[in-house]
Amino acid sequence: MANPYPTGWRSKSTPFLAKSLQVTPADSHHGSWQLWGSLGTVRIFYHLAMIVSKYLLKTLRESPSGAELPSHIFLLRGGYVKQLASGLYSILPLGKRVLNKIERIIREEMDAVEGQEVDLPLVQPSELWMESGRYGAIGAELLRFKDRSEHHMVLAMTHEEAITDLARYVLSSYKQLPFMIWQFKLKFRDEPRSRGGLVRVREFVMKDAYSFHRNDQDLDAYYQRMYKAYENIFQRVGIKPIVVKSDTGIMGGKIAHEFMLESGYGEDYLIISEDGSYSANQEIAEFQRVHAKAVPLALEKVATPGKQTIEEVSTLLGIKPEQTMKAVMFEAEQDKRRCLVLALIRGDLEVSDVKLRNYLKVPWLLPAADDFIRSFGAVPGYAGPVGLKERPDLLVLADLSVSEAGNLVGGANEEGFHYRHVNFLRDFQTPHCGDFAKAQAGYLAPDGKSVLRAVRGIEIGNIFKLGTKFTQSMNCAYLDEDGKHQTPTMGCYGIGLGRLMAAAIETSHDEFGPIWPKEIAPFHVHLLNIGREPEVMETCAKLMSEWEAAGFEVLFDDRDERPGVKFKDADLWGIPLRLAVGKKGLAEGMVEWKPRREKEFTKVPIGELTSRLREFYPDH
RNA sequence: CGGGGCGUAGCUCAGUCUGGCUAGAGCAUCAGCUUUGGGAGCUGAGGGUCGUAGGUUCGAAUCCUGUCGCCCCGACCA
């Protein structure tokens, strides 16, 4: 370059600035910038180093209205993301760097379990989803539309169908099994309500992995390896998840685990035993019922005029709610027939509709309409199982709290009357007895050895033994040693990247901003100058180029801002190490060394910085 | 989908109840000067069809109706 000071002469009164720091585009073909100093030219490559004055980000002094979670506030204030619409976020360069780091970690862990990375379409033909049966089973969350040639299409909310389609194309022999295919891929879910910044969004990138196996034993073994891989991933991003058993829902699988971050903002309720031996999502959590065995007394009708709720009835009769029986009624469709579901449960417990749905194998349950209830001879408010005529479309389900207890007060199916001393088998029967109750804090753990407590959690990943749900419905098969067609069994494993980034902040922040774990911080080093003296700027330029050459990622805050502004932004950017170069320190040959996690800085001789850096990042 | 709240400058908000001059402040941005260790000071500048459509009125950010958007609680969530 002929002219070392081509543009941007800042100030007539401080011409030395132009010599100390002048940033211009380098040879435009190299996508880099050059810093001029008396040392000569320093070329800066974007992927390794960045100078703040050229970086596309914007920090906010105040948090935008509506942001409540620390992760939401800091991601917006720090310039990591920007909201475009409800549940839709633009990722800015700084946020993208964090996501890239997360991707790198996940890719390494997927490699370690022999995953093969692919990329499948977001837009998919509806036929594919009809084939698996999910087109009808999923509601408005699945976005459906027509393309210009009137083909029915969907935006994929997950990729089981597409992956099974790929698997049935490539898979022919047992010799190919097992294998695992995975991708980082956009998902779209038309959520009824997005919330909490990146915690629940409508469009997001997910790492989704799918494994194919000859049998359940092989799937079980691989599932365990994936479980371990997930533990590695979360540990590396600085998160300590609670792992819970979870609902397998209409996916039809067998076993699933969710990796949850405990958080008061979480959408899921987790049930955990005090001794730590049991944990499950509340949807499916089990517990041990406590009930007194009693000698059945004679059935007795009592007048309870106007008393419909458990509370009213038990108060009137002077008994405890646990001596009553509640009948909760739903409508469901089973075998294409509209059915009345009469769920019986002890008065003090609550019905879990997830458990009901899973037992009945139906996708939905609706509260039953009054006239529908009456058509079965039951009376809303006074409904009970006693005296109801058996019908094929009447499904009576008895929770263990009812079938194993006795002498309960239940509805008489007559306006204003209940029965005392209702007993299972003697007064009513049903083959459908089981666990249909929602577990609550304070109940006994399934093993009876400790008490359950409830915490809220954010789901940050799941692993799922799918079984043959997709391979069967979509006709994915292979030939075994005997030349016979066999259906492979599947597992699927997901992690939402944006949510993971938010979860990392939820786990690690202070009042000023995030404290990024070393492995996912957007940069390794945050370098900043205090004062604009030539020697300060030159030292910064020299250090930057030295570290860049050593492979460290450096963010240099070269702005002509007051130290306070730079420190505040440094906190907001949360880079693990902040190094400040100022005239005073420089006079002693020192630079200020401040890990983000610590309150105070220490002074380090300039000559030792690079070796200290290597100690700070031993894995680098 | 039910309940609640909010839409005024890039961001945070005042003004709306009780209609009335050219629609305001702080922060941010641009220019200049000063300043330089935890979000500086002064001077000046740019930036808003007050979400949108209609209505009432001599006159609407303000009152009425519709509509769109955003947030929170609940329902929902492979």
Side-chain angles (χ1 to χ4, degrees), chain A residues 120-129 134-135 142-143 145 151-163 183 185-187:
Chain A
L120 307 178
L122 170 68
V123 177
Q124 302 178 358
S126 300
E127 285 80 12
L128 197 62
W129 288 68
R134 287 208 294 183
Y135 193 80
L142 179 65
L143 185 64
F145 63 99
H151 290 141
H152 292 268
M153 310 297 278
V154 303
L155 287 188
M157 44 195 287
T158 175
H159 281 75
E160 280 83 5
E161 281 82 0
I163 217 93
Q183 62 178 347
K185 190 66 189 184
L186 207 57
K187 314 288 175 199

PDB file of all heavy atoms in Angstrom, chain A residues 120-129 134-135 142-143 145 151-163 183 185-187:
ATOM      1  N   LEU A 120     -31.017 -32.679   5.392  1.00  0.00           N
ATOM      2  CA  LEU A 120     -32.284 -33.043   4.761  1.00  0.00           C
ATOM      3  C   LEU A 120     -33.172 -31.815   4.644  1.00  0.00           C
ATOM      4  O   LEU A 120     -33.023 -30.862   5.399  1.00  0.00           O
ATOM      5  CB  LEU A 120     -32.981 -34.115   5.611  1.00  0.00           C
ATOM      6  CG  LEU A 120     -32.121 -35.338   5.933  1.00  0.00           C
ATOM      7  CD1 LEU A 120     -32.891 -36.303   6.825  1.00  0.00           C
ATOM      8  CD2 LEU A 120     -31.685 -36.041   4.665  1.00  0.00           C
ATOM      9  N   PRO A 121     -34.090 -31.833   3.708  1.00  0.00           N
ATOM     10  CA  PRO A 121     -34.890 -30.622   3.444  1.00  0.00           C
ATOM     11  C   PRO A 121     -35.810 -30.214   4.594  1.00  0.00           C
ATOM     12  O   PRO A 121     -36.323 -31.056   5.322  1.00  0.00           O
ATOM     13  CB  PRO A 121     -35.736 -31.022   2.231  1.00  0.00           C
ATOM     14  CG  PRO A 121     -35.024 -32.163   1.616  1.00  0.00           C
ATOM     15  CD  PRO A 121     -34.378 -32.899   2.743  1.00  0.00           C
ATOM     16  N   LEU A 122     -35.993 -28.912   4.674  1.00  0.00           N
ATOM     17  CA  LEU A 122     -36.961 -28.348   5.623  1.00  0.00           C
ATOM     18  C   LEU A 122     -38.377 -28.458   5.037  1.00  0.00           C
ATOM     19  O   LEU A 122     -39.332 -28.768   5.729  1.00  0.00           O
ATOM     20  CB  LEU A 122     -36.624 -26.873   5.879  1.00  0.00           C
ATOM     21  CG  LEU A 122     -37.641 -26.058   6.658  1.00  0.00           C
ATOM     22  CD1 LEU A 122     -37.714 -26.522   8.106  1.00  0.00           C
ATOM     23  CD2 LEU A 122     -37.297 -24.580   6.593  1.00  0.00           C
ATOM     24  N   VAL A 123     -38.479 -28.189   3.757  1.00  0.00           N
ATOM     25  CA  VAL A 123     -39.781 -28.261   3.087  1.00  0.00           C
ATOM     26  C   VAL A 123     -39.977 -29.685   2.586  1.00  0.00           C
ATOM     27  O   VAL A 123     -39.100 -30.244   1.921  1.00  0.00           O
ATOM     28  CB  VAL A 123     -39.834 -27.273   1.907  1.00  0.00           C
ATOM     29  CG1 VAL A 123     -41.150 -27.404   1.162  1.00  0.00           C
ATOM     30  CG2 VAL A 123     -39.643 -25.851   2.414  1.00  0.00           C
ATOM     31  N   GLN A 124     -41.113 -30.243   2.942  1.00  0.00           N
ATOM     32  CA  GLN A 124     -41.334 -31.656   2.608  1.00  0.00           C
ATOM     33  C   GLN A 124     -42.760 -31.852   2.114  1.00  0.00           C
ATOM     34  O   GLN A 124     -43.676 -31.150   2.533  1.00  0.00           O
ATOM     35  CB  GLN A 124     -41.106 -32.515   3.858  1.00  0.00           C
ATOM     36  CG  GLN A 124     -39.707 -32.334   4.445  1.00  0.00           C
ATOM     37  CD  GLN A 124     -39.495 -33.137   5.712  1.00  0.00           C
ATOM     38  OE1 GLN A 124     -40.403 -33.815   6.187  1.00  0.00           O
ATOM     39  NE2 GLN A 124     -38.286 -33.060   6.245  1.00  0.00           N
ATOM     40  N   PRO A 125     -42.952 -32.841   1.243  1.00  0.00           N
ATOM     41  CA  PRO A 125     -44.316 -33.112   0.765  1.00  0.00           C
ATOM     42  C   PRO A 125     -45.181 -33.703   1.876  1.00  0.00           C
ATOM     43  O   PRO A 125     -44.707 -34.505   2.681  1.00  0.00           O
ATOM     44  CB  PRO A 125     -44.100 -34.132  -0.355  1.00  0.00           C
ATOM     45  CG  PRO A 125     -42.763 -34.729  -0.097  1.00  0.00           C
ATOM     46  CD  PRO A 125     -41.949 -33.694   0.606  1.00  0.00           C
ATOM     47  N   SER A 126     -46.432 -33.302   1.905  1.00  0.00           N
ATOM     48  CA  SER A 126     -47.347 -33.792   2.936  1.00  0.00           C
ATOM     49  C   SER A 126     -47.472 -35.314   2.900  1.00  0.00           C
ATOM     50  O   SER A 126     -47.677 -35.944   3.939  1.00  0.00           O
ATOM     51  CB  SER A 126     -48.734 -33.188   2.746  1.00  0.00           C
ATOM     52  OG  SER A 126     -48.657 -31.796   2.829  1.00  0.00           O
ATOM     53  N   GLU A 127     -47.373 -35.893   1.701  1.00  0.00           N
ATOM     54  CA  GLU A 127     -47.521 -37.350   1.561  1.00  0.00           C
ATOM     55  C   GLU A 127     -46.621 -38.090   2.528  1.00  0.00           C
ATOM     56  O   GLU A 127     -46.997 -39.101   3.120  1.00  0.00           O
ATOM     57  CB  GLU A 127     -47.179 -37.807   0.138  1.00  0.00           C
ATOM     58  CG  GLU A 127     -48.240 -37.505  -0.902  1.00  0.00           C
ATOM     59  CD  GLU A 127     -48.163 -36.068  -1.366  1.00  0.00           C
ATOM     60  OE1 GLU A 127     -47.168 -35.384  -1.060  1.00  0.00           O
ATOM     61  OE2 GLU A 127     -49.125 -35.614  -2.024  1.00  0.00           O
ATOM     62  N   LEU A 128     -45.401 -37.568   2.681  1.00  0.00           N
ATOM     63  CA  LEU A 128     -44.439 -38.233   3.557  1.00  0.00           C
ATOM     64  C   LEU A 128     -44.985 -38.317   4.972  1.00  0.00           C
ATOM     65  O   LEU A 128     -44.812 -39.317   5.666  1.00  0.00           O
ATOM     66  CB  LEU A 128     -43.141 -37.424   3.525  1.00  0.00           C
ATOM     67  CG  LEU A 128     -41.864 -38.080   4.016  1.00  0.00           C
ATOM     68  CD1 LEU A 128     -41.522 -39.288   3.144  1.00  0.00           C
ATOM     69  CD2 LEU A 128     -40.727 -37.076   3.983  1.00  0.00           C
ATOM     70  N   TRP A 129     -45.651 -37.257   5.384  1.00  0.00           N
ATOM     71  CA  TRP A 129     -46.174 -37.213   6.750  1.00  0.00           C
ATOM     72  C   TRP A 129     -47.468 -37.999   6.879  1.00  0.00           C
ATOM     73  O   TRP A 129     -47.840 -38.430   7.961  1.00  0.00           O
ATOM     74  CB  TRP A 129     -46.360 -35.750   7.186  1.00  0.00           C
ATOM     75  CG  TRP A 129     -45.032 -35.097   7.437  1.00  0.00           C
ATOM     76  CD1 TRP A 129     -44.082 -34.804   6.499  1.00  0.00           C
ATOM     77  CD2 TRP A 129     -44.488 -34.708   8.692  1.00  0.00           C
ATOM     78  NE1 TRP A 129     -42.985 -34.246   7.103  1.00  0.00           N
ATOM     79  CE2 TRP A 129     -43.212 -34.166   8.444  1.00  0.00           C
ATOM     80  CE3 TRP A 129     -44.960 -34.738  10.003  1.00  0.00           C
ATOM     81  CZ2 TRP A 129     -42.390 -33.681   9.465  1.00  0.00           C
ATOM     82  CZ3 TRP A 129     -44.158 -34.250  11.018  1.00  0.00           C
ATOM     83  CH2 TRP A 129     -42.876 -33.724  10.739  1.00  0.00           C
ATOM     84  N   ARG A 134     -48.412 -39.164  10.875  1.00  0.00           N
ATOM     85  CA  ARG A 134     -48.355 -37.996  11.753  1.00  0.00           C
ATOM     86  C   ARG A 134     -49.100 -36.801  11.201  1.00  0.00           C
ATOM     87  O   ARG A 134     -49.388 -35.847  11.919  1.00  0.00           O
ATOM     88  CB  ARG A 134     -46.896 -37.610  12.029  1.00  0.00           C
ATOM     89  CG  ARG A 134     -46.229 -38.592  12.960  1.00  0.00           C
ATOM     90  CD  ARG A 134     -45.131 -37.961  13.750  1.00  0.00           C
ATOM     91  NE  ARG A 134     -44.001 -37.522  12.949  1.00  0.00           N
ATOM     92  CZ  ARG A 134     -42.912 -36.991  13.464  1.00  0.00           C
ATOM     93  NH1 ARG A 134     -42.800 -36.842  14.772  1.00  0.00           N
ATOM     94  NH2 ARG A 134     -41.920 -36.614  12.698  1.00  0.00           N
ATOM     95  N   TYR A 135     -49.381 -36.834   9.886  1.00  0.00           N
ATOM     96  CA  TYR A 135     -50.061 -35.686   9.282  1.00  0.00           C
ATOM     97  C   TYR A 135     -51.384 -35.417   9.992  1.00  0.00           C
ATOM     98  O   TYR A 135     -51.741 -34.276  10.258  1.00  0.00           O
ATOM     99  CB  TYR A 135     -50.312 -35.945   7.799  1.00  0.00           C
ATOM    100  CG  TYR A 135     -50.716 -34.713   7.034  1.00  0.00           C
ATOM    101  CD1 TYR A 135     -49.762 -33.806   6.612  1.00  0.00           C
ATOM    102  CD2 TYR A 135     -52.051 -34.444   6.747  1.00  0.00           C
ATOM    103  CE1 TYR A 135     -50.112 -32.670   5.918  1.00  0.00           C
ATOM    104  CE2 TYR A 135     -52.420 -33.310   6.059  1.00  0.00           C
ATOM    105  CZ  TYR A 135     -51.443 -32.421   5.646  1.00  0.00           C
ATOM    106  OH  TYR A 135     -51.807 -31.287   4.960  1.00  0.00           O
ATOM    107  N   LEU A 142     -47.896 -28.094  13.046  1.00  0.00           N
ATOM    108  CA  LEU A 142     -47.263 -28.425  11.773  1.00  0.00           C
ATOM    109  C   LEU A 142     -47.772 -27.460  10.715  1.00  0.00           C
ATOM    110  O   LEU A 142     -48.963 -27.430  10.418  1.00  0.00           O
ATOM    111  CB  LEU A 142     -47.614 -29.872  11.388  1.00  0.00           C
ATOM    112  CG  LEU A 142     -47.061 -30.386  10.060  1.00  0.00           C
ATOM    113  CD1 LEU A 142     -45.543 -30.467  10.091  1.00  0.00           C
ATOM    114  CD2 LEU A 142     -47.665 -31.742   9.721  1.00  0.00           C
ATOM    115  N   LEU A 143     -46.867 -26.667  10.178  1.00  0.00           N
ATOM    116  CA  LEU A 143     -47.278 -25.666   9.200  1.00  0.00           C
ATOM    117  C   LEU A 143     -47.464 -26.318   7.832  1.00  0.00           C
ATOM    118  O   LEU A 143     -46.548 -26.923   7.286  1.00  0.00           O
ATOM    119  CB  LEU A 143     -46.251 -24.543   9.111  1.00  0.00           C
ATOM    120  CG  LEU A 143     -46.645 -23.379   8.195  1.00  0.00           C
ATOM    121  CD1 LEU A 143     -47.872 -22.655   8.723  1.00  0.00           C
ATOM    122  CD2 LEU A 143     -45.493 -22.408   8.041  1.00  0.00           C
ATOM    123  N   PHE A 145     -48.869 -25.940   3.772  1.00  0.00           N
ATOM    124  CA  PHE A 145     -49.120 -24.952   2.723  1.00  0.00           C
ATOM    125  C   PHE A 145     -49.026 -25.643   1.368  1.00  0.00           C
ATOM    126  O   PHE A 145     -48.630 -26.806   1.280  1.00  0.00           O
ATOM    127  CB  PHE A 145     -48.109 -23.809   2.819  1.00  0.00           C
ATOM    128  CG  PHE A 145     -46.676 -24.230   2.601  1.00  0.00           C
ATOM    129  CD1 PHE A 145     -46.069 -24.042   1.369  1.00  0.00           C
ATOM    130  CD2 PHE A 145     -45.954 -24.827   3.615  1.00  0.00           C
ATOM    131  CE1 PHE A 145     -44.746 -24.436   1.166  1.00  0.00           C
ATOM    132  CE2 PHE A 145     -44.642 -25.224   3.422  1.00  0.00           C
ATOM    133  CZ  PHE A 145     -44.034 -25.030   2.191  1.00  0.00           C
ATOM    134  N   HIS A 151     -49.061 -28.402  -4.880  1.00  0.00           N
ATOM    135  CA  HIS A 151     -48.685 -29.570  -4.086  1.00  0.00           C
ATOM    136  C   HIS A 151     -48.784 -29.237  -2.607  1.00  0.00           C
ATOM    137  O   HIS A 151     -48.352 -28.165  -2.189  1.00  0.00           O
ATOM    138  CB  HIS A 151     -47.242 -30.009  -4.413  1.00  0.00           C
ATOM    139  CG  HIS A 151     -47.113 -30.607  -5.782  1.00  0.00           C
ATOM    140  ND1 HIS A 151     -46.031 -30.376  -6.591  1.00  0.00           N
ATOM    141  CD2 HIS A 151     -47.949 -31.410  -6.483  1.00  0.00           C
ATOM    142  CE1 HIS A 151     -46.197 -31.013  -7.736  1.00  0.00           C
ATOM    143  NE2 HIS A 151     -47.363 -31.647  -7.696  1.00  0.00           N
ATOM    144  N   HIS A 152     -49.315 -30.144  -1.845  1.00  0.00           N
ATOM    145  CA  HIS A 152     -49.416 -29.945  -0.405  1.00  0.00           C
ATOM    146  C   HIS A 152     -48.055 -30.190   0.236  1.00  0.00           C
ATOM    147  O   HIS A 152     -47.467 -31.248   0.052  1.00  0.00           O
ATOM    148  CB  HIS A 152     -50.455 -30.893   0.193  1.00  0.00           C
ATOM    149  CG  HIS A 152     -51.845 -30.560  -0.225  1.00  0.00           C
ATOM    150  ND1 HIS A 152     -52.661 -29.727   0.496  1.00  0.00           N
ATOM    151  CD2 HIS A 152     -52.558 -30.917  -1.327  1.00  0.00           C
ATOM    152  CE1 HIS A 152     -53.821 -29.594  -0.132  1.00  0.00           C
ATOM    153  NE2 HIS A 152     -53.788 -30.317  -1.250  1.00  0.00           N
ATOM    154  N   MET A 153     -47.594 -29.182   0.960  1.00  0.00           N
ATOM    155  CA  MET A 153     -46.266 -29.277   1.565  1.00  0.00           C
ATOM    156  C   MET A 153     -46.360 -28.963   3.067  1.00  0.00           C
ATOM    157  O   MET A 153     -47.349 -28.394   3.527  1.00  0.00           O
ATOM    158  CB  MET A 153     -45.305 -28.261   0.918  1.00  0.00           C
ATOM    159  CG  MET A 153     -45.268 -28.269  -0.583  1.00  0.00           C
ATOM    160  SD  MET A 153     -44.689 -29.820  -1.284  1.00  0.00           S
ATOM    161  CE  MET A 153     -42.932 -29.603  -1.162  1.00  0.00           C
ATOM    162  N   VAL A 154     -45.310 -29.337   3.780  1.00  0.00           N
ATOM    163  CA  VAL A 154     -45.224 -28.945   5.184  1.00  0.00           C
ATOM    164  C   VAL A 154     -43.817 -28.417   5.450  1.00  0.00           C
ATOM    165  O   VAL A 154     -42.886 -28.694   4.695  1.00  0.00           O
ATOM    166  CB  VAL A 154     -45.506 -30.127   6.148  1.00  0.00           C
ATOM    167  CG1 VAL A 154     -46.863 -30.738   5.870  1.00  0.00           C
ATOM    168  CG2 VAL A 154     -44.408 -31.189   6.059  1.00  0.00           C
ATOM    169  N   LEU A 155     -43.703 -27.633   6.527  1.00  0.00           N
ATOM    170  CA  LEU A 155     -42.377 -27.285   7.032  1.00  0.00           C
ATOM    171  C   LEU A 155     -42.072 -28.290   8.144  1.00  0.00           C
ATOM    172  O   LEU A 155     -42.843 -28.415   9.102  1.00  0.00           O
ATOM    173  CB  LEU A 155     -42.352 -25.863   7.600  1.00  0.00           C
ATOM    174  CG  LEU A 155     -42.396 -24.723   6.582  1.00  0.00           C
ATOM    175  CD1 LEU A 155     -42.164 -23.398   7.294  1.00  0.00           C
ATOM    176  CD2 LEU A 155     -41.367 -24.915   5.483  1.00  0.00           C
ATOM    177  N   ALA A 156     -40.966 -28.978   8.001  1.00  0.00           N
ATOM    178  CA  ALA A 156     -40.655 -30.054   8.941  1.00  0.00           C
ATOM    179  C   ALA A 156     -40.456 -29.515  10.348  1.00  0.00           C
ATOM    180  O   ALA A 156     -39.763 -28.520  10.553  1.00  0.00           O
ATOM    181  CB  ALA A 156     -39.407 -30.792   8.485  1.00  0.00           C
ATOM    182  N   MET A 157     -41.105 -30.143  11.314  1.00  0.00           N
ATOM    183  CA  MET A 157     -40.857 -29.779  12.714  1.00  0.00           C
ATOM    184  C   MET A 157     -39.862 -30.739  13.332  1.00  0.00           C
ATOM    185  O   MET A 157     -39.373 -30.518  14.442  1.00  0.00           O
ATOM    186  CB  MET A 157     -42.171 -29.737  13.496  1.00  0.00           C
ATOM    187  CG  MET A 157     -43.108 -30.880  13.239  1.00  0.00           C
ATOM    188  SD  MET A 157     -44.745 -30.488  13.859  1.00  0.00           S
ATOM    189  CE  MET A 157     -44.455 -30.635  15.607  1.00  0.00           C
ATOM    190  N   THR A 158     -39.582 -31.800  12.630  1.00  0.00           N
ATOM    191  CA  THR A 158     -38.553 -32.755  12.989  1.00  0.00           C
ATOM    192  C   THR A 158     -38.381 -33.645  11.760  1.00  0.00           C
ATOM    193  O   THR A 158     -39.123 -33.508  10.803  1.00  0.00           O
ATOM    194  CB  THR A 158     -38.949 -33.544  14.257  1.00  0.00           C
ATOM    195  OG1 THR A 158     -37.975 -34.537  14.513  1.00  0.00           O
ATOM    196  CG2 THR A 158     -40.284 -34.221  14.080  1.00  0.00           C
ATOM    197  N   HIS A 159     -37.395 -34.528  11.769  1.00  0.00           N
ATOM    198  CA  HIS A 159     -37.051 -35.176  10.497  1.00  0.00           C
ATOM    199  C   HIS A 159     -37.120 -36.698  10.488  1.00  0.00           C
ATOM    200  O   HIS A 159     -36.427 -37.336   9.690  1.00  0.00           O
ATOM    201  CB  HIS A 159     -35.668 -34.700  10.039  1.00  0.00           C
ATOM    202  CG  HIS A 159     -35.691 -33.337   9.407  1.00  0.00           C
ATOM    203  ND1 HIS A 159     -35.818 -32.180  10.134  1.00  0.00           N
ATOM    204  CD2 HIS A 159     -35.647 -32.948   8.098  1.00  0.00           C
ATOM    205  CE1 HIS A 159     -35.817 -31.146   9.314  1.00  0.00           C
ATOM    206  NE2 HIS A 159     -35.714 -31.580   8.079  1.00  0.00           N
ATOM    207  N   GLU A 160     -37.942 -37.288  11.340  1.00  0.00           N
ATOM    208  CA  GLU A 160     -38.051 -38.743  11.323  1.00  0.00           C
ATOM    209  C   GLU A 160     -38.471 -39.277   9.950  1.00  0.00           C
ATOM    210  O   GLU A 160     -37.929 -40.264   9.449  1.00  0.00           O
ATOM    211  CB  GLU A 160     -39.060 -39.240  12.368  1.00  0.00           C
ATOM    212  CG  GLU A 160     -38.529 -39.309  13.779  1.00  0.00           C
ATOM    213  CD  GLU A 160     -38.593 -37.963  14.476  1.00  0.00           C
ATOM    214  OE1 GLU A 160     -39.132 -37.002  13.883  1.00  0.00           O
ATOM    215  OE2 GLU A 160     -38.086 -37.854  15.609  1.00  0.00           O
ATOM    216  N   GLU A 161     -39.459 -38.614   9.358  1.00  0.00           N
ATOM    217  CA  GLU A 161     -39.961 -39.091   8.071  1.00  0.00           C
ATOM    218  C   GLU A 161     -38.872 -39.041   6.999  1.00  0.00           C
ATOM    219  O   GLU A 161     -38.653 -40.006   6.266  1.00  0.00           O
ATOM    220  CB  GLU A 161     -41.167 -38.250   7.614  1.00  0.00           C
ATOM    221  CG  GLU A 161     -42.473 -38.606   8.276  1.00  0.00           C
ATOM    222  CD  GLU A 161     -42.631 -37.963   9.647  1.00  0.00           C
ATOM    223  OE1 GLU A 161     -41.693 -37.241  10.071  1.00  0.00           O
ATOM    224  OE2 GLU A 161     -43.672 -38.166  10.294  1.00  0.00           O
ATOM    225  N   ALA A 162     -38.224 -37.889   6.911  1.00  0.00           N
ATOM    226  CA  ALA A 162     -37.221 -37.720   5.864  1.00  0.00           C
ATOM    227  C   ALA A 162     -36.059 -38.681   6.069  1.00  0.00           C
ATOM    228  O   ALA A 162     -35.496 -39.219   5.109  1.00  0.00           O
ATOM    229  CB  ALA A 162     -36.731 -36.274   5.850  1.00  0.00           C
ATOM    230  N   ILE A 163     -35.702 -38.908   7.339  1.00  0.00           N
ATOM    231  CA  ILE A 163     -34.561 -39.779   7.595  1.00  0.00           C
ATOM    232  C   ILE A 163     -34.934 -41.231   7.292  1.00  0.00           C
ATOM    233  O   ILE A 163     -34.136 -41.996   6.764  1.00  0.00           O
ATOM    234  CB  ILE A 163     -34.078 -39.613   9.063  1.00  0.00           C
ATOM    235  CG1 ILE A 163     -32.554 -39.706   9.115  1.00  0.00           C
ATOM    236  CG2 ILE A 163     -34.632 -40.683   9.971  1.00  0.00           C
ATOM    237  CD1 ILE A 163     -31.845 -38.432   9.019  1.00  0.00           C
ATOM    238  N   GLN A 183     -27.840 -34.420  11.736  1.00  0.00           N
ATOM    239  CA  GLN A 183     -27.708 -33.134  11.037  1.00  0.00           C
ATOM    240  C   GLN A 183     -27.932 -31.977  12.008  1.00  0.00           C
ATOM    241  O   GLN A 183     -28.499 -32.145  13.082  1.00  0.00           O
ATOM    242  CB  GLN A 183     -28.746 -33.050   9.913  1.00  0.00           C
ATOM    243  CG  GLN A 183     -30.174 -33.103  10.433  1.00  0.00           C
ATOM    244  CD  GLN A 183     -31.231 -32.964   9.349  1.00  0.00           C
ATOM    245  OE1 GLN A 183     -30.928 -32.588   8.231  1.00  0.00           O
ATOM    246  NE2 GLN A 183     -32.476 -33.265   9.686  1.00  0.00           N
ATOM    247  N   LYS A 185     -30.137 -28.860  11.669  1.00  0.00           N
ATOM    248  CA  LYS A 185     -31.155 -28.469  10.704  1.00  0.00           C
ATOM    249  C   LYS A 185     -32.224 -27.591  11.323  1.00  0.00           C
ATOM    250  O   LYS A 185     -32.620 -27.781  12.460  1.00  0.00           O
ATOM    251  CB  LYS A 185     -31.805 -29.714  10.117  1.00  0.00           C
ATOM    252  CG  LYS A 185     -32.707 -29.433   8.933  1.00  0.00           C
ATOM    253  CD  LYS A 185     -31.898 -28.929   7.756  1.00  0.00           C
ATOM    254  CE  LYS A 185     -32.795 -28.430   6.628  1.00  0.00           C
ATOM    255  NZ  LYS A 185     -31.998 -28.034   5.463  1.00  0.00           N
ATOM    256  N   LEU A 186     -32.669 -26.644  10.519  1.00  0.00           N
ATOM    257  CA  LEU A 186     -33.766 -25.782  10.910  1.00  0.00           C
ATOM    258  C   LEU A 186     -35.045 -26.601  11.097  1.00  0.00           C
ATOM    259  O   LEU A 186     -35.317 -27.508  10.315  1.00  0.00           O
ATOM    260  CB  LEU A 186     -33.983 -24.773   9.785  1.00  0.00           C
ATOM    261  CG  LEU A 186     -34.584 -23.432  10.125  1.00  0.00           C
ATOM    262  CD1 LEU A 186     -33.755 -22.730  11.179  1.00  0.00           C
ATOM    263  CD2 LEU A 186     -34.649 -22.600   8.861  1.00  0.00           C
ATOM    264  N   LYS A 187     -35.780 -26.254  12.137  1.00  0.00           N
ATOM    265  CA  LYS A 187     -37.112 -26.831  12.319  1.00  0.00           C
ATOM    266  C   LYS A 187     -38.082 -25.669  12.396  1.00  0.00           C
ATOM    267  O   LYS A 187     -37.735 -24.583  12.882  1.00  0.00           O
ATOM    268  CB  LYS A 187     -37.218 -27.613  13.635  1.00  0.00           C
ATOM    269  CG  LYS A 187     -36.086 -28.549  13.918  1.00  0.00           C
ATOM    270  CD  LYS A 187     -36.103 -29.756  13.036  1.00  0.00           C
ATOM    271  CE  LYS A 187     -34.870 -30.592  13.277  1.00  0.00           C
ATOM    272  NZ  LYS A 187     -34.617 -31.501  12.177  1.00  0.00           N
TER     273      LYS A 187
END
